[in-house]
Amino acid sequence: GSAIAKIVGSNAARLEQFDTTVNMWVFEEEVGGKKLTEIINTQHENIKYLPGHKLPPNVVAVPDLLKAAAGADILIFVVPHQFIGKLCEQLKDHVKKETIGVSLIKGVDEGPEGLKLISHIIREWLGIEMSVLMGANIANEVAEEKFCETTIGCKNLEHGHILKELMQTHNFRVTVVPEADTVEICGALKNVVAVGAGFCDGLSFGDNTKAAVIRLGLMEMITFAKLFCKGPVTSTTFLESCGIADLITTCYGGRNRRVAEAFARTGKSIEQLEKELLNGQKLQGPQTSAELNHILKHKNLLEKFPLFTAVYQICYEGKPIADFIKCLQNHPAHM
């Protein structure tokens, strides 16, 4: 959230068509006896979640959600996916119908027909048009302005153009594609694959095995998208940053991989490791695997997704972690 605020803040200050002030809603907490919003607004740095990186002075931390969103033409959603329902409930009836929404949230939810995408949940609550931004964008590298690419999934070309202008920089290159749902599914499912990659690291299986996890995981992601997306799903979207690139970076870096490796090495619970390793950040992979498992079980599709299923069973059902390799050896992609 702070990394993208840094980009949006400097672009809004520079470009004429955007209001200069960027309000950033920050969940208020105390850090060293001071309020986090006050620290951000005086030191221009989110010292808890993005330490060492200055935010532009026109990015203003606001602890009150409704004040932060008041009158906004563009709303950027970057919160752990567990919190989105509560957030939308508060925002409901306080957002203009013509507001452009863009979600950077990686996760899925269950709905009456099985899958519910986070952007669809926001659209239902707030009645605004939603786009998504997903890519190989590990936050501290983005904040350090190291070169990377990202993908905006947007069905409305005009909105896609506005969002690209707001987000793109010399080192943060944006491609806009129309398959928004596929882009979003990539962002959610890659975290589950990354948990599998972390298991491999924890079991010291090496790079060949991890490459197999990435490939088989990508195949399950494509199969899942083709089953659950209402619109077209083309393989070219998986070749964008939101697909293969985000999958690679998350399986080699990223917090889901790190916690899964520690889980394999220490035998501690996922919850315990989240507390110890993540400094208040939330893990997305294991919870997404649980939501997927519900959806797939409901549709009798578990056997089509052995990698997703194994991740869920190891995280939540006490399946021995050493069995993870069996799901790779016996994967239907080899039959």
Side-chain angles (χ1 to χ4, degrees), residues 22-35:
V22 175
N23 284 347
M24 175 168 78
W25 174 64
V26 173
F27 181 77
E28 192 66 282
E29 51 190 307
E30 298 253 317
V31 181
K34 286 173 88 175
K35 288 180 172 170

Side-chain angles (χ1 to χ4, degrees), residues 15-43:
L15 298 167
E16 270 177 23
Q17 69 268 44
F18 299 110
D19 191 318
T20 313
T21 304
V22 175
N23 284 347
M24 175 168 78
W25 174 64
V26 173
F27 181 77
E28 192 66 282
E29 51 190 307
E30 298 253 317
V31 181
K34 286 173 88 175
K35 288 180 172 170
L36 183 57
T37 52
E38 285 172 12
I39 297 169
I40 292 171
N41 289 334
T42 51
Q43 297 176 26

Side-chain angles (χ1 to χ4, degrees), residues 54-71:
K54 287 292 177 205
L55 296 171
N58 59 315
V59 172
V60 180
V62 182
D64 180 309
L65 179 66
L66 295 186
K67 279 190 183 141

Side-chain angles (χ1 to χ4, degrees), residues 266-306:
T266 65
K268 292 178 181 176
S269 74
I270 293 282
E271 292 74 24
Q272 176 74 31
L273 291 164
E274 186 177 66
K275 282 195 186 82
E276 286 178 21
L277 298 175
L278 295 188
N279 184 33
Q281 289 182 315
K282 288 283 174 231
L283 205 60
Q284 305 292 298
Q287 190 167 344
T288 303
S289 81
E291 283 146 354
L292 287 185
N293 193 262
H294 262 135
I295 293 164
L296 294 171
K297 198 181 260 175
H298 181 67
K299 301 263 189 197
N300 281 331
L301 289 168
L302 287 176
E303 72 291 341
K304 267 188 185 292
F305 298 93

Side-chain angles (χ1 to χ4, degrees), residues 20 32 58 146 165 169 175 177 191 197 203 217 226 263 313 317:
T20 313
N58 59 315
K146 291 178 173 166
E165 285 219 58
T169 71
T175 304
V177 301
N191 283 330
L203 297 163
K226 286 185 169 161
F263 178 81
Q313 289 172 335
E317 292 185 345

Side-chain angles (χ1 to χ4, degrees), residues 131-198:
S131 299
V132 296
L133 181 146
M134 308 274 155
N137 308 140
I138 288 176
N140 53 350
E141 294 180 17
V142 172
E144 283 159 17
E145 297 179 21
K146 291 178 173 166
F147 178 83
C148 67
E149 304 173 306
T150 199
T151 312
I152 290 177
C154 183
K155 298 180 175 97
N156 178 323
L157 276 177
E158 189 192 338
H159 288 179
H161 182 70
I162 292 167
L163 292 171
K164 179 171 179 166
E165 285 219 58
L166 182 62
M167 306 282 190
Q168 179 155 276
T169 71
H170 195 55
N171 280 322
F172 191 73
R173 306 308 290 174
V174 176
T175 304
V176 182
V177 301
E179 278 177 36
D181 291 357
T182 309
V183 172
E184 187 169 1
I185 277 179
C186 284
L189 301 191
K190 57 101 193 190
N191 283 330
V192 180
V193 184
V195 174

